[in-house]
Amino acid sequence: MATPSSEARVIAAPLRVAHIAAEHSQLAHTGGLGEVVTGLSQAQSAAGHQVTCVLPGYRELLARLDGDSRGAVIVGMPWGGVRFERIEAVRDGVRIIALSEPGWFDRGGLYGDANGAFGDNPVRFVAFSRAAAQLVAGADVRADVVHLHDWHAGLVAPLLEEVCPRPARVMTIHNIAHTGAFARAAFDTCGLPPATLHSDGVLHWDRINPLKAGLQYADRITTVSPTYARELLTDEGGRDLAGLLRHRQQDLVGILNGLAIEEPRGQRQRTALCDRAELSPPDGPLFAVVSRLAEQKGIDLFIEAVPPALEQGAAAVVLGTGDAHLTAALNRLQERFPGRVRFWNHFDPRLARDIFAGADVVCVPSRFEPCGLTQLHAMYHGALPLVRRTGGLADTVVDVGDDGWGFCFDEASASAMAHALERACRLYGTKRWEAAQTAAMAKPVGWAEPADAYVDLYRAIVNEPSAA
Ligand code: GLC
């Protein structure tokens, strides 16, 4: 069908896109959120758009950014004006603006430290969201599209409601388990517009809920895989926001994350990994877990399911930090299987990469997983993924029994996982294994394609007649 030339011109025009988020993988991050913000913004910039990332000026972020001061954004709080300094730099074609307020962000840790989450997180991120909203609507950035990531940026959506012309607002859910909700009584300390304090605004079950506010006011809602988008519509998947998400179902779409590959694929290095782990190379598969040690990630299933495989000649390495009871259980597993299990209790992206390149199987037994990047990294480096079939894991891994390249199980139980581990042990060393490895390595895609999908979505909003 012929496209009128005027329309073609509109569609081809570069957009001014502002991502607002709490993490960036090169500057300050704790997990997949930062990887996505970085990969997506760089790909959109490479495609010719004018892309800005607005981030909190954490201590570690400012140390890495090495940016220049470009004035300030003043946010009116009930006790007076709070000054956020704008520190700017350009990274891989993306304009990075860090909003720095030392009282809230010049500390060790992003959201908390060894004593737990920071008690002032609500006010920190409300104030950050207010400064970010002012910035992206202002003359300097003047975004066509404001893309908000997770609860930290959710309040930007209602804050832009009265701005004219109003930018398109896209809210991405990376993980609905975190909403940033806090007591209604704190509303007065936040300086949010009083008109937003109602159940179709920032209130949810009598609490202020930043993620809900984002979902309520955004023009479109996205999440990071098609299967998770469907799961979000169920009571179990969408939790207490399922009703709102069902109501906005027409505006919800799942776009699978890409993989931001920073290092080229190297040789497989199983022996080197075994040496480093002080394990003698096993006859069976070398299993690995690289994960936050949390309930969501199903680490307890792994701990319960893996012993029979270890007894039959497999070995395992685990890298991660998190819940104390899982840490203790992994230490016990290591003691019970000397020379067969190695547990590294820290967060180390380089070691993670070496594990993906050395392990035979990387296990991701998550109870829920919006997308999951671990299985993609594992596949890229030639380790087969063993996953629970949920969220983005279901969208990226096909079982070897269906001519795929991984091992899938459905029920969130140790016995279902043990069965998958056993299937991996049986297949290990066969020709079929090699074919699966080749297929796995060919699968992960970069960011160009998903970045285009987001841009198509942005354009649909920008070109909507109702857009201000
Ligand atoms: C969150 C999700 C994870 C997803 C990541 C990036 O960390 O738990 O599944 O891959 O965000 O979108």
Side-chain angles (χ1 to χ4, degrees):
M1 202 173 71
T3 317
S5 58
S6 59
E7 195 184 324
R9 206 158 12 92
V10 173
I11 287 174
L15 293 171
R16 285 167 303 196
V17 181
H19 291 276
I20 304 182
E23 299 192 17
H24 184 285
S25 65
Q26 296 170 349
L27 301 168
H29 79 131
T30 65
L33 169 64
E35 266 188 72
V36 170
V37 170
T38 307
L40 175 59
S41 58
Q42 288 178 358
Q44 290 176 336
S45 163
H49 303 284
Q50 212 175 303
V51 186
T52 304
C53 278
V54 183
L55 302 159
Y58 308 111
R59 180 187 297 168
E60 62 181 273
L61 183 143
L62 294 181
R64 294 200 181 105
L65 185 63
D66 191 21
D68 298 323
S69 177
R70 293 280 159 77
V73 179
I74 311 289
V75 172
M77 296 302 269
W79 60 89
V82 172
R83 183 177 187 279
F84 277 87
E85 192 182 349
R86 280 173 49 180
I87 317 274
E88 293 201 26
V90 175
R91 285 265 183 145
D92 299 295
V94 177
R95 179 181 184 190
I96 309 280
I97 306 184
L99 292 170
S100 159
E101 201 291 319
W104 284 320
F105 292 104
D106 183 15
R107 30 176 116 158
L110 272 51
Y111 315 121
D113 57 20
N115 302 317
F118 297 133
D120 56 356
N121 275 341
V123 71
R124 293 170 82 218
F125 285 100
V126 170
F128 166 70
S129 296
R130 293 192 52 207
Q134 278 185 44
L135 181 72
V136 296
D140 194 9
V141 176
R142 183 104 49 229
D144 302 310
V145 181
V146 177
H147 191 150
L148 311 172
H149 297 268
D150 270 354
W151 71 267
H152 319 92
L155 288 166
V156 173
L159 288 165
L160 293 176
E161 185 71 2
E162 304 301 330
V163 168
C164 190
R166 189 170 67 214
R169 294 160 294 177
V170 174
M171 176 82 225
T172 294
I173 304 172
H174 294 265
N175 188 341
I176 204 154
H178 304 286
T179 65
F182 58 91
R184 178 186 181 142
F187 186 79
D188 294 341
T189 65
C190 296
L192 284 169
T196 61
L197 188 65
H198 54 86
S199 59
D200 289 331
V202 304
L203 258 192
H204 188 53
W205 302 116
D206 213 32
R207 286 165 73 77
I208 314 296
N209 187 318
L211 179 62
K212 185 255 180 170
L215 301 178
Q216 188 82 47
Y217 288 91
D219 298 292
R220 293 286 194 289
I221 300 167
T222 77
T223 190
V224 288
S225 71
T227 296
Y228 191 60
R230 286 192 296 277
E231 290 170 359
L232 283 173
L233 301 175
T234 65
D235 287 343
E236 192 191 342
R239 304 182 176 215
D240 62 357
L241 292 167
L244 170 55
L245 287 163
R246 284 195 287 266
H247 181 66
R248 297 220 53 196
Q249 187 166 354
Q250 297 308 320
D251 297 321
L252 169 68
V253 58
I255 299 175
L256 197 62
N257 284 336
L259 190 64
I261 296 154
E262 294 181 358
E263 315 244 2
R265 189 161 17 221
Q267 294 285 323
R268 298 279 305 148
Q269 30 177 295
R270 187 180 196 257
T271 314
L273 178 60
C274 290
D275 287 350
R276 183 151 174 198
E278 294 169 355
L279 305 174
S280 46
D283 295 334
L286 175 58
F287 292 110
V289 171
V290 177
S291 179
R292 249 183 324 113
L293 307 179
E295 157 87 11
Q296 176 198 341
K297 300 292 181 180
I299 307 302
D300 53 322
L301 304 181
F302 172 80
I303 295 169
E304 204 182 323
V306 78
L310 297 173
E311 277 153 12
Q312 286 158 33
V317 293
V318 179
L319 173 67
T321 58
D323 296 356
H325 75 280
L326 294 169
T327 307
L330 285 164
N331 279 324
R332 285 197 299 273
L333 190 72
Q334 179 171 245
E335 278 160 31
R336 183 173 153 202
F337 291 98
R340 294 235 153 248
V341 173
R342 180 63 200 258
F343 170 38
W344 285 291
N345 185 19
H346 46 250
F347 174 68
D348 178 348
R350 291 191 65 91
L351 177 54
R353 204 263 332 270
D354 293 346
I355 291 175
F356 299 139
D360 300 304
V361 177
V362 172
C363 304
V364 191
S366 304
R367 291 195 159 77
F368 70 95
E369 195 60 76
C371 178
L373 299 172
T374 309
Q375 80 280 14
L376 299 179
H377 283 290
M379 285 153 57
Y380 178 78
H381 288 287
L384 301 191
L386 186 152
V387 305
R388 193 168 101 71
R389 209 182 262 119
T390 180
L393 299 171
D395 291 335
T396 53
V397 181
V398 173
D399 195 275
V400 290
D402 299 318
D403 279 337
W405 52 87
F407 305 91
C408 303
F409 63 100
D410 289 297
E411 200 186 302
S413 72
S415 60
M417 183 170 187
H419 183 61
L421 291 165
E422 191 192 310
R423 288 198 295 126
C425 290
R426 272 198 308 230
L427 198 74
Y428 184 65
T430 65
K431 277 238 157 343
R432 180 72 193 85
W433 186 284
E434 278 171 41
Q437 231 176 357
T438 309
M441 290 169 93
K443 285 293 162 195
V445 294
W447 265 106
E449 226 177 274
D452 275 355
Y454 279 108
V455 169
D456 288 347
L457 183 87
Y458 301 161
R459 293 204 191 280
I461 311 168
V462 170
N463 293 334
E464 252 164 26
S466 58

